[in-house]
Amino acid sequence: TQLLEQSPQFLSIQEGENLTVYCNSSSVFSSLQWYRQEPGEGPVLLVTVVTGGEVKKLKRLTFQFGDARKDSSLHITAAQPGDTGLYLCAVSINAGGTSYGKLTFGQGTILTVHP
Amino acid sequence: KAGVTQTPRYLIKTRGQQVTLSCSPISGHRSVSWYQQTPGQGLQFLFEYFSETQRNKGNFPGRFSGRQFSNSRSEMNVSTLELGDSALYLCASSYTGHEQFFGPGTRLTVL
């Protein structure tokens, strides 16, 4: 069982459409991060959400952390071909007394935006 | 500020060989983490080094090892390569160990 369940796994849309990607868990987290990864490159950090109910905006991207800090969503308004990529949510988990340096990732959502 | 750099970008090896991958973190970052990314398993944590000490380790066999130097540069080594080790190996650096900044990765193919 995955600690972080992302949905949908694949998303193929037309330019200009809106979309939402979800990251769910039964565990509570102190913070959660969203990354975007393009083919052949490493993930790029988009945002970190910390407070339950927090909403952060990054241009056309809106990130929300659930009130109970168990889930998060990423909403993209008016998607563009440049938004194409793999979107990953990630958390730091306390393992053996330390969570430093260890991120646990969801399986990702592959987004394709067609012109 | 220069980003995380990884060398080489691409590598082809045969089963049984060993390989060493290199990572240079962002200047000032003392934490370096390594991940393996495959289509089937996604991104999985290998280990993390901070100030030359391994601070955290994932569930990988002992064939996977790493080290960090005094200038924070890090290397990871995989011995006795298996076909299943074919993957994108990602290095990430961080100031605190939480928010991480990734390099472009090394694509390892084992034949």
Side-chain angles (χ1 to χ4, degrees):
Chain A
T1 310
Q2 289 274 349
L3 177 68
L4 297 172
E5 295 284 347
Q6 283 191 243
S7 61
Q9 199 173 347
F10 301 95
L11 200 49
S12 179
I13 62 171
Q14 293 297 126
E15 182 176 1
E17 292 184 15
N18 301 332
L19 65 112
T20 303
V21 174
Y22 300 92
C23 177
N24 296 308
S25 179
S26 57
S27 300
V28 177
F29 305 114
S30 57
S31 66
L32 184 145
Q33 298 167 20
W34 284 95
Y35 289 82
R36 183 167 77 101
Q37 184 178 21
E38 297 185 27
E41 299 295 329
V44 174
L45 178 64
L46 296 174
V47 77
T48 300
V49 285
V50 178
T51 306
E54 180 178 9
V55 176
K56 280 191 174 179
K57 292 194 174 186
L58 188 66
K59 296 183 181 177
R60 294 176 294 99
L61 278 59
T62 301
F63 305 86
Q64 184 159 8
F65 202 15
D67 290 341
R69 291 183 287 126
K70 293 182 177 181
D71 54 82
S72 182
S73 63
L74 157 60
H75 181 80
I76 301 180
T77 304
Q80 298 175 1
D83 295 327
T84 293
L86 173 66
Y87 288 82
L88 296 154
C89 61
V91 293
S92 289
I93 300 296
N94 226 331
T98 176
S99 63
Y100 292 117
K102 176 180 177 178
L103 289 177
T104 298
F105 286 85
Q107 71 270 45
T109 294
I110 298 175
L111 170 65
T112 305
V113 182
H114 301 280
Chain B
K1 216 181 225 185
V4 178
T5 58
Q6 291 187 245
T7 56
R9 291 293 309 273
Y10 302 91
L11 208 46
I12 299 175
K13 293 285 188 179
T14 56
R15 278 181 300 174
Q17 287 187 309
Q18 74 161 14
V19 67
T20 299
L21 312 181
S22 182
C23 172
S24 292
I26 291 171
S27 178
H29 286 186
R30 291 190 292 168
S31 168
V32 174
S33 300
W34 289 89
Y35 296 84
Q36 181 195 66
Q37 186 175 30
T38 59
Q41 298 299 318
L43 266 156
Q44 292 188 293
F45 173 77
L46 281 156
F47 31 66
E48 185 245 5
Y49 287 86
F50 185 89
S51 293
E52 302 179 65
T53 301
Q54 187 181 86
R55 195 165 58 169
N56 219 332
K57 190 177 187 305
N59 296 323
F60 278 82
R63 299 185 297 108
F64 292 82
S65 63
R67 60 178 176 169
Q68 188 179 34
F69 302 96
S70 58
N71 61 359
S72 293
R73 191 176 69 85
S74 178
E75 289 181 347
M76 70 162 280
N77 183 276
V78 188
S79 62
T80 320
L81 283 166
E82 300 177 359
L83 295 178
D85 297 333
S86 293
L88 181 67
Y89 289 89
L90 292 159
C91 163
S93 79
S94 171
Y95 183 72
T96 62
H98 288 300
E99 290 189 339
Q100 298 185 12
F101 298 86
F102 285 81
T106 294
R107 172 72 63 186
L108 172 64
T109 303
V110 182
L111 303 175

